[in-house]
Amino acid sequence: MFDVLQPPGWAKPSGYANGIAARGKMIFIAGQIGWNEQCMFESDDLVDQTRQTLANIVAVAQAGGAGPEHIVSMTWFLIDRKEYSARLKEIGGAYRSVMGRRFPTMTALQVSGLIEDRAKVEIQAIAMVPD
């Protein structure tokens, strides 16, 4: 369904792909944050918000006929890269619990703030449903 692009001689990345080639219906998922479907935060914890953010991405993807296995790209916006790095193992567990062991292309950026004051992470995604 997708071809992971790994240049010869490059070290294999951990938790993401360097590139993916795909064909099909594209679904663009707006930046999602760690609140529930009623736009209410249930936690101020980064790992909890990450899990909820990923669940929100999956819900939007499913509305378009896709699942977590169809996500080909993610851009993460984080308030605190040091907290992200310190809790990476927990975040990885939250990721796998929602997304499985599929790792799309990913970019992570530290930002000075997000529109919602309580948000600690925002993730934008692209899914590709095969023809």
Side-chain angles (χ1 to χ4, degrees):
M1 150 164 53
F2 305 114
D3 295 321
V4 175
L5 307 177
Q6 180 65 20
W10 283 31
K12 186 176 179 190
S14 177
Y16 68 95
N18 283 311
I20 293 178
R23 178 180 310 209
K25 176 177 81 169
M26 297 178 76
I27 299 171
F28 298 92
I29 301 167
Q32 299 295 308
I33 59 175
W35 60 17
N36 64 25
E37 62 276 358
Q38 301 303 314
C39 302
M40 304 276 296
F41 286 96
E42 296 176 6
S43 175
D44 289 318
D45 179 73
L46 174 61
V47 176
D48 292 342
Q49 284 196 16
T50 299
R51 184 179 290 105
Q52 181 64 56
T53 299
L54 293 167
N56 294 345
I57 287 169
V58 171
V60 174
Q62 288 173 336
E69 70 276 14
H70 298 112
I71 303 294
V72 295
S73 182
M74 293 179 149
T75 303
W76 295 52
F77 302 91
L78 300 146
I79 296 299
D80 186 342
R81 74 174 175 82
K82 289 183 181 179
E83 181 182 11
Y84 172 81
S85 295
R87 301 192 68 196
L88 196 53
K89 192 170 193 169
E90 295 169 88
I91 290 168
Y95 177 92
R96 289 185 301 279
S97 73
V98 177
M99 304 297 293
R101 298 197 65 75
R102 190 155 201 101
F103 302 105
T105 63
M106 291 193 213
T107 299
L109 305 159
Q110 178 175 301
V111 296
S112 62
L114 296 168
I115 298 301
E116 292 297 327
D117 288 336
R118 288 181 64 187
K120 293 192 169 195
V121 61
E122 183 169 336
I123 304 172
Q124 179 181 12
I126 300 171
M128 182 74 75
V129 180
D131 293 332

